[in-house]
Amino acid sequence: ESTLGAAAAQSGRYFGTAIAAGKLGDSNYTTIANREFNMVTAENEMKIDATEPNRGQFTFTNGDRVYNWAVQNGKRVRGHTLAWHQQQPGWMQSLSGSSLRQAMIDHINGVMGHYKGKIYAWDVVNEAFADGNSGGRRDSNLQRTGNDWIEVAFRTARAADPAAKLCYNDYNIDNWSWAKTQGVYNMVRDFKSRGVPIDCVGLQSHFNSNSPYNSNYRTTIQSFAALGVDVQITELDIQGGSATTYANVVNDCLAVARCTGITVWGVRDTDSWLGSGASALLFDGNGNKKAAYTSVLNAL
Ligand code: XIL
């Protein structure tokens, strides 16, 4: 096959990218994105601050720009993200307790209602676990509403759009030996055992020198899948752009039936949230295919 999306489809998987609404007028960007990818995540446009800038007042202008571009070009869409401690609008940052809990529920209903039946998978909760060795939850205004906030978010999400897969998404849960990975694993196991609706785990997979790719990544994917959830690689980028590491990531996903797709977090190095100097993506700033691109395509 000659594109990432078509190559991934040979095994029933998808290959996606993050799309920014503000770049849809850049024809170099849209040409590559349209040709290579068959799944789209809005890089920022479906986040809490973007979709509910004032409490109870929802805005989908930019989210819909990304959504419509994707669907008009035959691509599916991952929703990102509904409950997160980052990119909260000011009004939400200043809430706490039961009013914040209700605002979270209302937000999930508002955004999922707008996109009901249209989204392949939602990152319902993003980055709720702590970094470091505790294996526990991250302190946040949402966490301070009560430890059950994550399952409340998932139950709300299931009712709001029963057709969407519901994912828990996080970074630094790639390395099986890390406490944070084990913390998330224990939560998913608990949710499955108690019937809390969860369908997938998103491994963001932002690899860099502090959190490098480790060969136990395949064990991580296999272990989550064995709990009865899909695994998706949701925000892949590799600082330095190692072609070998990119191939390892693809091979690890392909080794596990329930690893259903891979999304890279941007199109060209110049589109990366890490800056072009990180050289973390598959196309250079001019849109040329990098060695990592060929490595991924051959591995798929
Ligand atoms: C990043 C975007 O790429 C940036 O444009 C924005 O300024 C900050 O957020 N984990 C996530 C993503 O779940 O939403 C983040 O995206 C990258 C880290």
Side-chain angles (χ1 to χ4, degrees):
E1 292 295 338
S2 57
T3 70
L4 300 171
Q10 294 177 113
S11 68
R13 294 178 173 83
Y14 64 81
F15 207 99
T17 191
I19 289 289
K23 291 176 179 167
L24 290 173
D26 175 344
S27 65
N28 179 270
Y29 176 82
T30 54
T31 297
I32 299 165
N34 190 24
R35 183 185 71 218
E36 297 289 342
F37 302 101
N38 53 14
M39 184 72 77
V40 163
T41 306
E43 186 172 2
N44 290 295
E45 293 80 354
M46 295 187 191
K47 291 175 179 175
I48 314 172
D49 56 354
T51 52
E52 195 178 357
N54 300 296
R55 188 169 185 180
Q57 186 184 101
F58 290 88
T59 312
F60 298 107
T61 309
N62 287 323
D64 286 353
R65 281 194 181 117
V66 175
Y67 177 85
N68 289 331
W69 180 85
V71 170
Q72 283 161 10
N73 289 293
K75 304 168 199 325
R76 291 183 292 171
V77 176
R78 293 190 80 265
H80 177 78
T81 182
L82 299 166
W84 191 22
H85 68 287
Q86 297 272 31
Q87 292 180 266
Q88 289 183 359
W91 65 264
M92 185 178 276
Q93 292 177 41
S94 65
L95 291 182
S96 62
S98 57
S99 56
L100 175 59
R101 178 67 67 91
Q102 192 58 48
M104 177 190 80
I105 292 168
D106 294 345
H107 182 76
I108 292 169
N109 284 324
V111 178
M112 290 189 81
H114 178 76
Y115 291 108
K116 188 173 183 180
K118 298 176 164 182
I119 299 290
Y120 166 71
W122 268 107
D123 293 328
V124 177
V125 172
N126 200 32
E127 303 183 347
F129 276 72
D131 298 315
N133 297 322
S134 76
R137 299 288 181 82
R138 171 193 301 280
D139 179 49
S140 71
N141 60 346
L142 289 163
Q143 180 62 28
R144 291 192 291 271
T145 70
N147 203 52
D148 62 341
W149 72 278
I150 298 181
E151 63 187 88
V152 168
F154 276 88
R155 291 188 201 278
T156 303
R158 179 67 94 223
D161 185 356
K165 291 182 186 289
L166 307 181
C167 300
Y168 176 81
N169 191 55
D170 213 332
Y171 65 90
N172 286 359
I173 59 168
D174 315 292
N175 188 323
W176 182 242
S177 74
W178 286 15
K180 186 172 175 181
T181 311
Q182 295 301 313
V184 174
Y185 177 82
N186 288 332
M187 178 189 73
V188 174
R189 187 174 55 184
D190 171 57
F191 280 13
K192 294 299 288 184
S193 75
R194 292 191 294 113
V196 179
I198 183 168
D199 305 306
C200 36
V201 170
L203 307 180
Q204 291 185 10
S205 303
H206 296 292
F207 291 116
N208 55 55
S209 53
N210 293 320
S211 50
Y213 169 84
N214 185 289
S215 59
N216 67 25
Y217 189 57
R218 189 177 299 197
T219 300
T220 302
I221 296 170
Q222 278 165 343
S223 301
F224 278 114
L227 293 176
V229 290
D230 289 347
V231 178
Q232 298 164 11
I233 298 170
T234 53
E235 304 181 16
L236 178 63
D237 48 35
I238 300 172
Q239 196 163 29
S242 163
T244 304
T245 306
Y246 262 107
N248 288 337
V249 169
V250 172
N251 285 325
D252 291 342
C253 179
L254 265 55
V256 181
R258 291 199 79 153
C259 183
T260 58
I262 300 172
T263 294
V264 288
W265 203 242
V267 178
R268 304 160 302 192
D269 284 338
T270 41
D271 303 315
S272 171
W273 70 307
L274 303 171
S276 59
S279 192
L281 296 173
L282 302 178
F283 295 87
D284 70 19
N286 295 318
N288 298 307
K289 296 169 178 174
K290 296 166 61 182
Y293 171 92
T294 309
S295 176
V296 167
L297 186 67
N298 290 339
L300 284 168

